[in-house]
Amino acid sequence: MSRQQDEQGVVLTAYTSNSEALPAISCKEQTEFLGASRRTGQYNVQRCKGSGKAPYQRCSSQDSLDEQAMVDYFKEVEIIQRSGDAETQEDLQLKVADEGEQEEAWLMEAGLATLFDESASDGEDSIVLLSTLTRTQAAAVERRVETLKQTLRKRNKPYSVPDVREIFKPSPASQSKDEAGSTERSASSKQEVEGLGNGAGPDTPGGGADAETDINLEVSFSEQALIYKEGLKVTQPQNEADDRLPDFRVSQDKTGQTRVGDLSAEDMKKVRRLVLIEMSALFDTCGIEVKAHKALKVKVRESGLFGVSLSTLLEQDQRRILGTKVPLILQHLISHIEEQGLDTEGVLRIPGAATRVKAVCHELEHKFYEGMFPWESLKQHDAASLLKLFIRELPYPLLTVEYFNAFISVLKLPTKKQQLQALNLLLLLLPEPNRDTLKALMEFFQRVTDHKDRNKMTLNNVAVVMAPNIFMCKGFRSKISEQQEFAMATGTANIVRLLVRYQNLLWTIPKFVLNQVRKHNMENQRKMNRDRAVKKLLKKMAYDRERASDKQEKNTEAEGGFIRVQAPQFSMVSMAIQLTEDLKASDVLTRFLSQERSLSVKREDLCLYEMGGNIKERCLDEETYIKAVLELNPSAEWVIKSVQH
């Protein structure tokens, strides 16, 4: 590979036919992208004898990851290169979307295809979705509709893209309400950003430092970013060592935290659409352009363990164990590494013997599903090498082709908080198999770092060793120069650091998104009722009024009395529980278990669900206050079910 560096610095490209798959970043810009410190000079990595490669030259700025960490990064790159696994299958090829094609794909994915195609079947749902958007989210939609409109005009093609002013034109009745809501949201956002009420100290004038570590999940992230952009001075983020990464705080919400997997598939579909719009709005607000790409189809293996797509692997595994969400081979490798002890020095960093790893890989392919593989003879470092090989051999990146650029661009955001918010949104956009597999890996990496005093694997160490395995998808290294590879090194390692360090925050659904889903569901219900035949509608309205009256009476009684909890899976079909201000989901489960003594299900396998009303179903975390949820969803019913973790 030849070096490609001009006077203005390094230009990053993705691995694509027209060299545009990654955002372009110059040395001058790496202070932002790589979170550089002020050190200057050259940085050399000693290569293995016979590699024939010149040492890497250091840019004028460098991330705070220390030099030894970078040595470990490029040692890992050298190991990957020597293994030759990147050449065993056809390289993944990426295609940059044509002008206008990206906007069409975005609108379709966001459930807004009707904005450019009147024949689309989701017209009514699109109108409802649009009614839930914030001002920054609406601006993101407007921008893409207008871009598509201009593209079609250039091509002299007939089009039916509506005027963006008509799309978001409010009705007279709702305009004043929306303006009031917008003002209230802006004031709330500004208060959160400025850190009002957090108590200022000598180092935190006005409470600003506290605001930087307080995560507000009730206000749209892009709205918060707009407040920063419009009126606040923002210092550039400084990257910290493991023990100096900020401890972000989320204020306790009485309605409970909503984790990935807590909602129904139907509601998660709405979450994904809203999150796509919100993620785009966040990058738009910060002036960062992210181009999505798509993979050209390549021939991949249709069975086996290594080099097989996640969807194919899970199909194989689910035929053996129903409900499998993470590939069994990955689960076994993680378990084996942990069984042999995470105190082993250099676990994940020290490679196994290359010839032995290849032989074990071949043996696993033939014996794993038959249960004949001799796990007791597998050395720990070989197992770690196989785990990394599994990730690299995936035919499509674990972070997906579509969002690969967005992950890379996260560190361009001006604050650590915004970087975390962007990662939170991106994780929710990943397909379920990718998201679950990535989560299993991050949890494992955290357990490795928990033993850092003995295994010498700090968060930095784990991040630099795993970053090239996660980010250098198949065939990637053959398409970029060494200088470009160095420019990516600290950036990708920092992203892995954030994914591991803040995973308890990242795999959750922000409350403002959930509130938009609730609003979407309520609007859908109203619209369905309005669209029925007049006679049926009148009957339904009469029935609904009677039922609503009953429910109102029931809920009024509940506020000062009892709630009824259903448990249809168990012998105790239902039970009444007194409703108090302090009643939590954990209290309901404790009461249930005290009465259902013959129950064989473990406590951790039970969940209290909020069902009906403005949500399809939602598994409540045990710290959720029941009365707070009732205020948010007066028509909710309560059901205890067993869940599969």
Side-chain angles (χ1 to χ4, degrees):
M1 291 185 292
S2 62
R3 295 231 181 111
Q4 298 176 1
Q5 184 177 20
D6 56 25
E7 296 177 350
Q8 318 215 325
V10 180
V11 177
L12 290 181
T13 64
Y15 127 52
T16 169
S17 56
N18 61 3
S19 300
E20 291 183 4
L22 285 179
I25 297 176
S26 65
C27 272
K28 184 177 180 180
E29 292 170 319
Q30 283 181 33
T31 303
E32 277 185 46
F33 182 70
L34 302 179
S37 71
R38 299 296 180 190
R39 294 177 298 174
T40 58
Q42 285 194 333
Y43 178 74
N44 298 323
V45 176
Q46 297 298 322
R47 313 296 290 178
C48 295
K49 292 182 180 180
S51 67
K53 292 199 174 188
Y56 293 88
Q57 299 297 317
R58 182 178 181 177
C59 182
S60 61
S61 61
Q62 170 65 19
D63 185 83
S64 62
L65 292 171
D66 60 29
E67 293 189 1
Q68 182 56 50
M70 289 296 93
V71 169
D72 290 341
Y73 181 98
F74 287 107
K75 281 182 179 178
E76 184 67 23
V77 170
E78 186 72 28
I79 291 166
I80 294 172
Q81 193 173 31
R82 285 205 311 267
S83 71
D85 57 86
E87 309 302 329
T88 59
Q89 291 191 32
E90 184 180 355
D91 285 355
L92 176 67
Q93 296 294 330
L94 306 183
K95 180 182 182 297
V96 179
D98 296 331
E99 189 177 9
E101 185 181 0
Q102 178 169 309
E103 286 71 27
E104 283 190 15
W106 187 92
L107 288 166
M108 288 182 67
E109 191 175 355
L112 298 172
T114 188
L115 295 184
F116 67 88
D117 182 3
E118 292 181 345
S119 64
S121 60
D122 59 352
E124 294 297 328
D125 196 53
S126 295
I127 295 172
V128 174
L129 176 61
L130 291 171
S131 72
T132 70
L133 301 185
T134 66
R135 57 175 175 166
T136 47
Q137 292 171 352
V141 175
E142 289 178 14
R143 179 183 179 187
R144 282 149 185 83
V145 170
E146 190 60 33
T147 300
L148 177 58
K149 187 175 178 180
Q150 292 173 3
T151 301
L152 295 175
R153 187 183 293 122
K154 286 178 186 177
R155 296 178 185 171
N156 293 321
K157 286 189 175 182
Y159 61 88
S160 58
V161 179
D163 191 301
V164 292
R165 291 169 295 185
E166 293 297 322
I167 297 173
F168 297 99
K169 182 179 180 181
S171 63
S174 64
Q175 188 168 9
S176 59
K177 180 181 177 181
D178 289 345
E179 287 175 354
S182 177
T183 303
E184 184 179 343
R185 285 194 301 270
S186 298
S188 173
S189 298
K190 189 169 184 178
Q191 183 176 2
E192 188 279 336
V193 170
E194 292 176 343
L196 297 179
N198 283 325
D203 299 324
T204 60
D210 285 341
E212 278 304 302
T213 55
D214 287 340
I215 302 292
N216 187 337
L217 299 177
E218 298 192 21
V219 179
S220 160
F221 297 156
S222 55
E223 292 281 341
Q224 295 179 40
L226 185 60
I227 296 297
Y228 271 110
K229 185 177 179 180
E230 288 179 342
L232 297 179
K233 293 181 180 180
V234 182
T235 56
Q236 293 300 322
Q238 299 295 322
N239 285 292
E240 300 87 355
D242 287 7
D243 56 353
R244 294 201 302 272
L245 283 172
D247 291 323
F248 286 99
R249 298 174 298 180
V250 179
S251 58
Q252 185 179 13
D253 178 10
K254 286 194 170 186
T255 61
Q257 185 184 65
T258 304
R259 299 153 298 188
V260 171
D262 283 351
L263 298 181
S264 67
E266 185 178 336
D267 283 340
M268 275 304 296
K269 185 177 180 181
K270 297 182 180 74
V271 166
R272 198 171 188 280
R273 289 174 172 179
L274 287 162
V275 164
L276 173 63
I277 297 171
E278 172 64 14
M279 186 268 291
S280 302
L282 178 58
F283 280 110
D284 287 354
T285 302
C286 295
I288 300 169
E289 184 176 3
V290 179
K291 287 189 176 181
H293 294 75
K294 61 182 182 180
L296 300 177
K297 288 188 177 180
V298 296
K299 189 175 181 180
V300 298
R301 297 181 63 192
E302 296 181 358
S303 63
L305 300 176
F306 297 86
V308 181
S309 70
L310 284 175
S311 57
T312 300
L313 271 172
L314 290 174
E315 284 177 11
Q316 294 175 171
D317 294 345
Q318 287 166 1
R319 288 196 290 266
R320 292 165 173 83
I321 301 179
L322 192 64
T324 300
K325 293 188 175 183
V326 176
L328 294 177
I329 180 60
L330 183 61
Q331 292 186 46
H332 276 74
L333 288 171
I334 289 174
S335 296
H336 185 75
I337 295 170
E338 292 184 334
E339 285 169 4
Q340 296 211 339
L342 292 179
D343 290 341
T344 305
E345 185 170 340
V347 63
L348 291 181
R349 185 179 70 240
I350 299 174
T355 54
R356 192 167 61 231
V357 169
K358 283 188 177 181
V360 173
C361 178
H362 186 267
E363 190 174 6
L364 275 168
E365 290 280 9
H366 290 84
K367 296 181 178 180
F368 176 71
Y369 282 124
E370 283 68 35
M372 303 296 291
F373 181 77
W375 287 98
E376 66 281 357
S377 65
L378 179 61
K379 297 181 182 296
Q380 189 179 41
H381 291 308
D382 291 350
S385 292
L386 286 166
L387 180 145
K388 292 186 282 189
L389 177 66
F390 171 82
I391 300 169
R392 295 196 306 271
E393 282 285 279
L394 289 172
Y396 299 103
L398 185 59
L399 302 181
T400 74
V401 169
E402 291 79 6
Y403 300 113
F404 196 83
N405 281 357
F407 275 99
I408 293 291
S409 299
V410 161
L411 294 181
K412 288 184 176 182
L413 292 164
T415 68
K416 267 287 191 300
K417 189 195 312 189
Q418 289 177 7
Q419 293 169 12
L420 283 184
Q421 290 169 341
L423 284 175
N424 182 195
L425 298 172
L426 283 167
L427 291 173
L428 293 173
L429 284 172
L430 291 178
E432 191 173 343
N434 299 65
R435 188 171 61 230
D436 292 339
T437 300
L438 183 64
K439 188 173 190 295
L441 283 170
M442 296 305 122
E443 290 172 346
F444 169 58
F445 298 157
Q446 180 61 60
R447 293 193 293 272
V448 170
T449 63
D450 289 343
H451 295 253
K452 63 185 177 183
D453 291 339
R454 290 184 175 272
N455 61 28
K456 311 302 180 187
M457 293 299 291
T458 65
L459 178 57
N460 280 356
N461 297 140
V462 170
V464 297
V465 168
M466 294 310 303
N469 292 282
I470 293 172
F471 280 91
M472 290 189 178
C473 52
K474 186 165 285 297
F476 180 85
R477 296 192 70 250
S478 63
K479 306 296 182 182
I480 62 172
S481 69
E482 290 180 353
Q483 200 71 22
Q484 292 164 345
E485 189 171 20
F486 177 80
M488 285 185 63
T490 50
T492 55
N494 272 318
I495 293 170
V496 176
R497 285 205 312 163
L498 295 176
L499 289 172
V500 177
R501 174 70 171 79
Y502 300 110
Q503 56 187 283
N504 290 336
L505 295 175
L506 295 176
W507 267 268
T508 61
I509 300 170
K511 185 177 180 179
F512 74 88
V513 173
L514 189 60
N515 286 343
Q516 287 181 288
V517 171
R518 292 183 187 277
K519 183 178 178 182
H520 192 295
N521 287 337
M522 291 301 293
E523 291 297 326
N524 265 339
Q525 290 173 16
R526 292 192 189 103
K527 211 159 197 53
M528 285 172 60
N529 288 340
R530 285 197 300 267
D531 291 343
R532 297 185 180 216
V534 176
K535 187 175 180 181
K536 289 184 178 179
L537 180 59
L538 291 174
K539 283 185 176 181
K540 185 70 168 59
M541 288 172 64
Y543 173 76
D544 283 348
R545 281 196 297 270
E546 181 181 350
R547 188 178 179 191
S549 176
D550 292 342
K551 282 192 174 181
Q552 186 176 2
E553 183 180 346
K554 175 182 175 182
N555 288 331
T556 302
E557 179 186 353
E559 289 175 4
F562 295 83
I563 60 168
R564 183 152 295 278
V565 180
Q566 310 292 328
Q569 290 182 341
F570 309 102
S571 59
M572 181 183 294
V573 177
S574 69
M575 64 179 179
I577 296 181
Q578 186 172 10
L579 180 64
T580 65
E581 291 287 343
D582 297 328
L583 182 67
K584 296 182 182 180
S586 58
D587 301 326
V588 175
L589 292 175
T590 299
R591 172 75 179 275
F592 173 75
L593 288 170
S594 69
Q595 297 187 22
E596 189 79 4
R597 300 185 183 279
S598 60
L599 195 66
S600 59
V601 181
K602 296 179 181 178
R603 166 68 179 263
E604 58 266 27
D605 294 330
L606 288 176
C607 184
L608 176 65
Y609 281 81
E610 166 200 0
M611 299 186 72
N614 55 33
I615 205 80
K616 184 71 175 177
E617 69 173 34
R618 173 178 171 239
C619 177
L620 304 179
D621 79 63
E622 296 203 2
E623 293 302 307
T624 302
Y625 288 80
I626 303 303
K627 193 167 184 179
V629 179
L630 264 176
E631 292 172 356
L632 192 62
N633 187 5
S635 300
E637 296 182 354
W638 315 97
V639 180
I640 293 176
K641 297 195 295 184
S642 60
V643 294
Q644 181 178 15
H645 297 287

